[in-house]
Each structure stands twice: as structure tokens, then as C-alpha cells.
Amino acid sequence: MSGPVHGLPGAPLPAIVRFDPPAQGGVIDHPKPERLQQGNPRRETWTLYESADGQTSAGIWACEVGRWRIVFPADKEEYFFVLSGHVRLHDTAGGWVDVRAGEGAVIPTGFEGAFEVIEPVRKHFVVVDRG
């Protein structure tokens, strides 16, 4: 059941973007060869939202098992929530953080390390890139 939509009279309302399961395939890619540490996982991305200023994007991401180096610039960060699977984020000091189905995490600006998919993963993501 839907109720009334409230807003300023005559002002267009921004559209709400739902993260429904995609009906079609997403954009397929693989980690860059020079970043690969293990495997060559197939990654699929469905970008469901992009802000007008280009600084924020959000959507659904799926990936096979594998591991690759990541370097987040000083103006980029990501929040993600794992829907299914298991990922491990390794830092350059040898530590790691596991994120499993039902859990979320933030990859902060300036983070360097590796992204490892332990079990095939599907996640929601929000990336803020001020660059």
C-alpha cells in the first residue's frame, strides 16, 4: 500500500532508487593483471545510482573467488554490505578483516592492501569519489 507523496508544492521530487535484483546482466570485468595475487575472478557490476555531480555511485556487485591489490586514493571511500559470500580485506601490515553475509564495512580513503573473495560474493556498494 502506498501513501501520499509529500514535498514542496510544484517542486519535482527526486526519484528513490530501489536495489531490486537485476533482471539483466551487469558490466563484466576482471582485476588488472598487474594487481592479481590469486586467480582471475570474474566481477559483475550493476550501477543502479549515480549522483548528478558524479561523486557518488551505488549498486550491486558480484565476484568469484580470487585476490588482488587495491589502493584507494585520498578522495575515495566505499561502504559495502555483503548479501552472500565472504570477503577478506588485507592491509599492508599483515592484518585482515573478514566481512561475511549480513555484515557491512567501510574501505576508508587512503587504504592500501588486498581484496580477497573467500566465497563467491554479492554485495551492495556505495562509493564516494571526490576526485
Side-chain angles (χ1 to χ4, degrees):
M1 173 191 262
S2 64
V5 177
H6 300 284
L8 297 175
L13 295 174
I16 299 298
V17 177
R18 290 175 43 121
F19 280 38
D20 295 331
Q24 299 178 9
V27 175
I28 307 293
D29 75 341
H30 295 267
K32 294 178 181 177
E34 65 272 15
R35 292 184 177 260
L36 280 174
Q37 294 182 334
Q38 192 174 53
N40 187 24
R42 176 184 186 270
R43 306 183 299 192
E44 190 166 8
T45 305
W46 296 267
T47 301
L48 303 175
Y49 171 79
E50 290 183 307
S51 63
D53 63 8
Q55 291 188 351
T56 305
S57 62
I60 301 170
W61 185 81
C63 186
E64 299 172 336
V65 172
R67 178 175 162 159
W68 59 95
R69 288 183 307 104
I70 60 173
V71 177
F72 268 56
D75 52 8
K76 181 178 179 179
E77 56 196 330
E78 176 183 352
Y79 164 78
F80 66 91
F81 184 85
V82 176
L83 302 168
S84 63
H86 174 189
V87 300
R88 179 173 289 160
L89 289 135
H90 299 264
D91 63 30
T92 56
W96 69 85
V97 173
D98 286 318
V99 187
R100 294 178 173 89
E103 300 175 337
V106 171
I107 302 173
T109 59
F111 180 82
E112 293 187 31
F115 194 98
E116 181 177 11
V117 177
I118 305 289
E119 296 172 8
V121 71
R122 189 174 192 92
K123 68 177 186 167
H124 286 163
F125 69 87
V126 178
V127 174
V128 177
D129 189 347
R130 295 173 191 88

